[in-house]
Amino acid sequence: MTGVQLYTVRDQLAADRDGTLRRIAGIGYDSVEPFDPMADPAGFRQVADDLGLSVSSTHAYALLGQESGPVFDAIATIGTDLAIIPGGIAHEEFTTHDGLSRTADLLNGLAEQAAEHDVRIGYHNHWWEIEPRIDGRHALEALADLLAPEVFLEVDTYWAAVGGADVPDLLRGLSSRTLALHVKDGPGVKDAPHTAVGAGVMPVRDILAAAPGALRIVELDSCEGDVFAALADSHAYLEAS
């Protein structure tokens, strides 16, 4: 299954949600990952269903800042049972043992709430969970040891590389935790636009081989040129990989 994190087309969604989803389906993607399940969940689900798009998972930043019940209701409405925390935790928490313990307690507590709604909680990394080393290991690896078994990881492979990881090696070590990958490409630095998957410096095929069972979700945080062309090129590359 190959999907798109809809943050990639956030501006296009804001202007024309239905048309944007139609273009994604037309490229050949079979799933999407919303970044805000609270945005008209029933209407979103109807359009996705009509286009044959499944909802693989959703980011759920709102779980950190408001009453969780309505968020879990929205997650159920859009049709997924995987809710991912995509940030919102202070970067400094990934630099010490105590910070990692607090982060794990937060995620494990959310997982207990989520289980009451038949939802699993995941965590999505950026570079700041990779760059710090805790006892010689990337902070994300140390955090994984503290998480309840039901908490999974969505490894953003590009940000892992930017943070200094050997991404295939990282994925092999986290294989039991990793349910999804954010697949993206580019020059491998923090502040430059991304490219279509396969057009940058990332060892994409080695990454995919290291986590063969994980969901493949394309995300381009920013993109030079036409984003739909980049999504089409990314889809073609992944289908051939």
Side-chain angles (χ1 to χ4, degrees):
M1 178 179 291
T2 305
V4 177
Q5 163 52 245
L6 293 177
Y7 186 77
T8 304
V9 289
R10 57 198 177 276
D11 295 336
Q12 293 80 5
L13 278 176
D16 180 7
R17 181 194 66 187
D18 296 5
T20 298
L21 293 176
R22 190 175 302 111
R23 291 189 71 175
I24 287 171
I27 289 169
Y29 288 98
D30 49 23
S31 67
V32 291
E33 181 181 72
F35 60 91
D36 180 11
M38 305 293 283
D40 185 23
F44 179 91
R45 173 70 178 274
Q46 184 63 60
V47 175
D49 284 351
D50 289 347
L51 293 169
L53 290 169
S54 66
V55 178
S56 62
S57 46
T58 183
H59 283 189
Y61 183 84
L63 286 172
L64 294 179
Q66 63 189 76
E67 183 184 351
S68 63
V71 183
F72 286 121
D73 289 344
I75 290 167
T77 298
I78 64 172
T80 185
D81 60 359
L82 301 178
I84 298 160
I85 305 302
I89 299 170
H91 299 190
E92 293 76 18
E93 293 289 70
F94 298 93
T95 63
T96 66
H97 288 284
D98 287 347
L100 291 181
S101 293
R102 287 189 292 269
T103 300
D105 288 346
L106 171 63
L107 295 172
N108 292 341
L110 287 173
E112 290 181 4
Q113 296 177 41
E116 298 175 4
H117 300 268
D118 297 318
V119 170
R120 289 186 66 185
I121 290 293
Y123 186 75
H124 167 281
N125 66 280
H126 295 80
W127 60 265
W128 56 82
E129 302 94 341
I130 304 294
E131 195 171 84
R133 295 283 186 140
I134 304 294
D135 297 330
R137 303 165 71 211
H138 297 293
L140 185 68
E141 296 175 293
L143 173 65
D145 291 344
L146 303 175
L147 296 174
E150 62 270 22
V151 180
F152 67 93
L153 296 176
E154 177 179 67
V155 176
D156 188 305
T157 58
Y158 188 83
W159 288 124
V162 169
D166 178 316
V167 181
D169 187 59
L170 178 74
L171 290 172
R172 285 187 286 268
L174 295 173
S175 60
S176 63
R177 286 277 182 192
T178 304
L179 292 192
L181 303 178
H182 269 193
V183 185
K184 60 180 69 168
D185 213 337
V189 295
K190 290 176 184 174
D191 298 320
H194 297 152
T195 67
V197 175
V201 302
M202 295 293 290
V204 177
R205 290 190 172 94
D206 292 340
I207 287 168
L208 299 178
L215 298 169
R216 301 175 175 187
I217 302 169
V218 174
E219 182 187 41
L220 308 176
D221 297 17
S222 61
C223 182
E224 288 186 344
D226 183 75
V227 68
F228 290 106
L231 285 175
D233 289 346
S234 298
H235 184 268
Y237 182 89
L238 292 173
E239 288 297 298
S241 298

